[in-house]
């Protein structure tokens, strides 16, 4: 019924639940029990490209960026990498800046809390999610780097 509004769906590495974005909002839900959980800010923020990390957290690209850390004023100017705990929460556990360009694909390591991302600038990056450290791995002069399983 509502599947026409699903944008991206990803299965948990252990296969017992899924994370999905529906009309820009981030949700996770087990397959057989419990209720659907919404992660992140309820309105005014768009989430995309959800990805499960090896520790069970959810990594997602968000257009919410904090301008002033004292009063938590939000602005939809720059995309960030948000890491959410598996429990429903409004605030991410970690929020890291991303390299320049629009993120095209994201893939997580099955063993470590690392992400491989590609951008529309034909670049491949590795992000260490615990620290937010970004390493540029490669770039292409001919076409976008688009590989289904970047971390395998």
């Amino acid at each position: 019924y509502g599947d026409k509004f699903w944008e991206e769906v990803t299965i948990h590495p252990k296969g017992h639940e899924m994370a999905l974005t529906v009309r820009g909002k981030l949700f996770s839900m087990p397959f057989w029990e419990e209720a659907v959980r919404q992660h992140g800010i309820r309105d005014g923020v768009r989430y995309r490209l959800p990805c499960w990390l090896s520790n069970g957290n959810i990594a997602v690209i968000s257009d919410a960026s904090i301008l002033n850390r004292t009063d938590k004023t939000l602005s939809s100017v720059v995309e960030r990498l948000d890491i959410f705990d598996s429990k429903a929460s409004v605030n991410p556990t970690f929020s890291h800046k991303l390299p320049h360009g629009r993120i095209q694909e994201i893939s997580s390591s099955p063993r470590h809390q690392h992400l491989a991302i590609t951008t529309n600038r034909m670049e491949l990056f590795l992000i260490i999610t615990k620290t937010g450290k970004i390493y540029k791995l490669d770039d292409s002069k001919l076409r976008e780097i688009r590989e289904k399983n970047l971390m395998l």
Side-chain angles (χ1 to χ4, degrees):
Y1 296 97
D3 60 345
K4 65 182 176 183
F5 298 111
W6 293 10
E7 295 166 354
E8 295 107 0
V9 178
T10 182
I11 307 295
H12 190 282
K14 294 184 179 176
H16 57 79
E17 66 181 303
M18 68 178 178
L20 64 154
T21 52
V22 180
R23 301 182 72 185
K25 297 182 184 343
L26 177 64
F27 298 94
S28 67
M29 63 182 183
F31 287 125
W32 307 113
E33 68 283 328
E34 299 180 21
V36 175
R37 299 178 296 265
Q38 184 172 358
H39 304 272
I41 298 170
R42 304 296 184 241
D43 294 310
V45 175
R46 185 162 193 81
Y47 297 99
R48 63 187 188 90
L49 300 175
C51 184
W52 290 99
L53 295 173
S54 61
N55 65 352
N57 290 346
I58 304 169
V60 67
I61 306 300
S62 163
D63 68 356
S65 61
I66 297 174
L67 292 180
N68 187 345
R69 294 199 185 274
T70 57
D71 63 358
K72 302 287 186 190
T73 307
L74 295 175
S75 173
S76 297
V77 177
V78 178
E79 286 190 327
R80 296 187 62 84
L81 174 68
D82 286 346
I83 311 292
F84 287 97
D85 189 40
S86 59
K87 300 178 187 126
S89 64
V90 174
N91 297 319
T93 308
F94 297 106
S95 186
H96 304 298
K97 70 179 199 171
L98 290 166
H100 295 289
R102 181 163 173 83
I103 306 303
Q104 301 287 82
E105 291 187 17
I106 185 170
S107 182
S108 66
S109 167
R111 293 189 180 177
H112 305 286
Q113 294 177 40
H114 302 166
L115 294 171
I117 61 169
T118 61
T119 68
N120 67 332
R121 294 182 174 199
M122 301 184 285
E123 297 170 325
L124 173 65
F125 292 94
L126 175 71
I127 298 179
I128 312 301
T129 59
K130 285 184 178 180
T131 62
K133 189 97 170 131
I134 300 171
Y135 298 96
K136 183 176 178 180
L137 300 178
D138 200 3
D139 60 25
S140 172
K141 304 290 184 227
L142 301 175
R143 60 178 168 228
E144 290 181 359
I145 299 171
R146 300 189 71 101
E147 188 63 39
K148 192 62 182 158
N149 294 312
L150 293 172
M151 294 299 282
L152 298 179

